[in-house]
Amino acid sequence: ACAHLAPALAKMTQLQSLYLSDNRIDARGMKHLAPALAEMTRVHSVDLNDNRIDAEACAHLAPALAKMTQLQSLYLSDNRIDARGMKHLAPALAEMTRVHSVDLNDNRIDAEACAHLAP
């Protein structure tokens, strides 16, 4: 499904909010979505709650997040993000200076994962 959705999303360069929660998006899906997300430089809010985002999916997502210069809210709760995933996400999050809210609730974030957020 993500392979079919991604080309349409890539054309939505003026989109401000994107809600893709509860869609079972995993690494394979994120591989298709990430390039489209990278084109959405004006998006203010991205909701990817309740998917299957793991370390491999984070590796695809992180470069796209770094290009979302207007992003203010990022919702990633109820996924499978652990220390390996946070290792990919942390550098992108550090560059996102406009972000007001990041929701990482209900993941697999432990002390090792937190260490990537605050080196």
Side-chain angles (χ1 to χ4, degrees):
C2 290
H4 299 290
L5 178 61
L9 287 177
K11 294 177 183 176
M12 296 180 182
T13 57
Q14 302 300 312
L15 193 70
Q16 293 188 2
S17 298
L18 178 64
Y19 300 94
L20 291 173
S21 63
D22 198 18
N23 281 292
R24 299 181 182 165
I25 298 170
D26 58 9
R28 188 173 61 165
M30 191 56 69
K31 184 176 181 179
H32 293 289
L33 284 178
L37 294 175
E39 297 296 321
M40 302 174 126
T41 58
R42 294 186 181 200
V43 73
H44 292 168
S45 179
V46 174
D47 184 340
L48 292 166
N49 288 335
D50 196 20
N51 280 291
R52 296 177 179 170
I53 297 171
D54 60 6
E56 186 180 350
C58 288
H60 297 300
L61 177 60
L65 290 176
K67 293 182 179 182
M68 295 178 171
T69 58
Q70 301 300 310
L71 193 65
Q72 296 177 10
S73 301
L74 177 62
Y75 303 98
L76 290 168
S77 70
D78 198 20
N79 278 289
R80 300 172 181 175
I81 300 170
D82 59 7
R84 292 178 306 128
M86 195 54 66
K87 185 175 182 178
H88 296 294
L89 289 179
L93 293 174
E95 297 297 319
M96 298 165 67
T97 58
R98 293 183 182 250
V99 170
H100 297 275
S101 177
V102 176
D103 184 353
L104 292 166
N105 185 49
D106 200 18
N107 277 285
R108 299 171 182 170
I109 297 174
D110 57 10
E112 183 182 353
C114 288
H116 293 297
L117 283 173

